[in-house]
Amino acid sequence: MKTRLTTLCGIERPIIQGGLAYLARAPLAAAVSEAGGMGQITAATLGTPQALREEIRAVRRLTAKPFAVNFALGHQPIDALLEVALEEQVPAVSLTGGNPAPYAHRIKEARALFLVLTAGVRAAQKAEGLGADIIIAVGAEGGGHLGRDDVGTMVLTRRVVQSVQVPVVASGGIGDGRGLLAAMALGAEGIEMGTRFVATQECQAHLSYKQRLVQTPENQTVVIERSIGRPGRVLSSPYVDKILAQEQQVTQPEDLWPWVAGEKNAAAALNGDWDQGFAWAGQVTGLITDIPTVRQLLDRMEREAVDAWDQLNQNMSTNR
């Protein structure tokens, strides 16, 4: 499956693994890269520059194929972490959740591929102007933090493709080969998946998290943090009900921060404590029916995309 994305990244399949907080670690990232996609490790929740350096080297012990390091902006300064990634000459760097401008020149100077996740046309155009090599457009169906405009992946992907010249990657609500084919029909040159990769054997998420992804229908995820302008989609849980109740009383963002702190995410995602924590998830839960290995998932997705393409061609030929 060759696109501008696969050529630019040096990968075999146009599939990128999302920068999952606490979960995008070496075993998962390396498994995705080994299976022909582009794995990512997350920098922000590793904590220290040395921990990031060790994680990068752990990926390289597991695979010689390209991977990326993801930086979530707005939570803490990333300068020291970014320097480690560039010193280690990582193939690609992705920025999500904030203004990429302060870091663009340094990433370009180091000649790492520069990926920026956006949720709107203006942000995508700004990222392209900063030198982004790849734009990831995440729709409102996605898990984790989203854009404020509630634009779905179908419309957003097409609009971003129309608005920039660099390769566009679609994200949000994609979890199988038909979703991959649909994204490419919209003009995207690949996809990014987050939630779907949580429900794989190589991901270090707690088993109850993975099981909930299999069991949760598409209409039972919840958006939190809307009251402070940082909407994010999560799995329902008793603790999430408490967050939503607290949001009714918020007068300033600081009031909610203790309720949505990183350790609360880790409590559910890593420890399975749904009474004291929350876990990110997109509406793609409705398409998740099993917990395969990463290779099994990507092999299946490629077969599904090819079969869907053949079926589409047959249907179009029949109806002429």
Side-chain angles (χ1 to χ4, degrees):
M1 303 179 74
K2 297 297 182 184
T3 69
R4 282 196 295 168
L5 177 71
T6 60
T7 300
L8 194 58
C9 296
I11 58 179
E12 301 160 28
R13 289 166 164 162
I15 299 172
I16 298 175
Q17 167 231 317
L20 306 160
Y22 296 101
L23 305 176
R25 302 290 293 272
L28 177 60
V32 174
S33 293
E34 276 293 296
M38 176 173 275
Q40 294 199 83
I41 56 176
T42 182
T45 53
L46 282 169
T48 68
Q50 185 57 32
L52 176 57
R53 192 183 302 277
E54 291 171 0
E55 200 71 17
I56 291 169
R57 293 178 179 180
V59 174
R60 286 189 162 128
R61 287 193 293 271
L62 295 169
T63 184
K65 295 185 177 181
F67 65 97
V69 177
N70 172 258
F71 294 87
L73 304 177
H75 300 280
Q76 62 184 29
I78 70 163
D79 301 79
L81 293 166
L82 179 60
E83 283 306 310
V84 165
L86 298 180
E87 286 172 9
E88 292 290 322
Q89 298 182 324
V90 298
V93 168
S94 68
L95 302 183
T96 63
N99 180 14
Y103 313 104
H105 175 74
R106 183 69 187 95
I107 295 169
K108 298 298 291 183
E109 181 182 56
R111 299 188 178 182
L113 281 176
F114 181 26
L115 290 71
V116 179
L117 186 144
T118 68
V121 169
R122 289 183 61 188
Q125 291 172 327
K126 178 180 178 181
E128 182 180 42
L130 291 170
D133 299 295
I134 297 163
I135 303 294
I136 302 172
V138 58
E141 302 96 318
H145 286 110
L146 308 162
R148 301 178 186 179
D149 296 332
D150 290 337
V151 179
T153 302
M154 286 284 288
V155 172
L156 181 64
T157 299
R158 188 69 193 132
R159 284 287 293 120
V160 173
V161 167
Q162 291 173 333
S163 303
V164 300
Q165 300 300 312
V166 298
V168 174
V169 172
S171 181
I174 302 171
D176 59 18
R178 288 182 177 269
L180 169 60
L181 182 61
M184 296 178 74
L186 293 170
E189 313 229 12
I191 60 171
E192 182 198 59
M193 299 192 303
T195 304
R196 187 60 188 93
F197 278 121
V198 175
T200 59
Q201 293 181 25
E202 292 88 347
C203 182
Q204 69 173 21
H206 194 275
L207 180 59
S208 70
Y209 185 3
K210 300 180 185 185
Q211 291 171 334
R212 282 185 178 229
L213 293 178
V214 172
Q215 297 163 358
T216 300
E218 66 278 1
N219 63 347
Q220 290 187 18
T221 59
V222 178
V223 176
I224 61 173
E225 298 188 56
R226 198 181 289 278
S227 63
I228 59 173
R230 287 166 38 90
R233 191 175 298 280
V234 300
L235 288 173
S236 298
S237 74
Y239 185 77
V240 167
D241 291 340
K242 295 178 183 178
I243 293 175
L244 294 174
Q246 186 68 19
E247 292 205 57
Q248 300 300 314
Q249 307 171 38
V250 165
T251 59
Q252 52 189 358
E254 292 82 357
D255 296 338
L256 193 64
W257 287 347
W259 293 82
V260 296
E263 56 265 26
K264 298 298 185 180
N265 178 207
L270 296 178
N271 302 325
D273 186 349
W274 300 96
D275 292 320
Q276 296 297 323
F278 66 92
W280 306 111
Q283 292 176 340
V284 74
T285 54
L287 300 176
I288 298 175
T289 60
D290 61 355
I291 306 171
T293 67
V294 166
R295 184 168 291 278
Q296 287 170 340
L297 174 63
L298 297 198
D299 285 349
R300 181 171 68 199
M301 287 181 63
E302 184 167 347
R303 290 194 303 270
E304 289 170 343
V306 171
D307 289 347
W309 174 249
D310 290 342
Q311 181 182 356
L312 181 61
N313 280 330
Q314 182 178 355
N315 291 345
M316 292 180 69
S317 297
T318 301
N319 293 326
R320 282 180 180 173

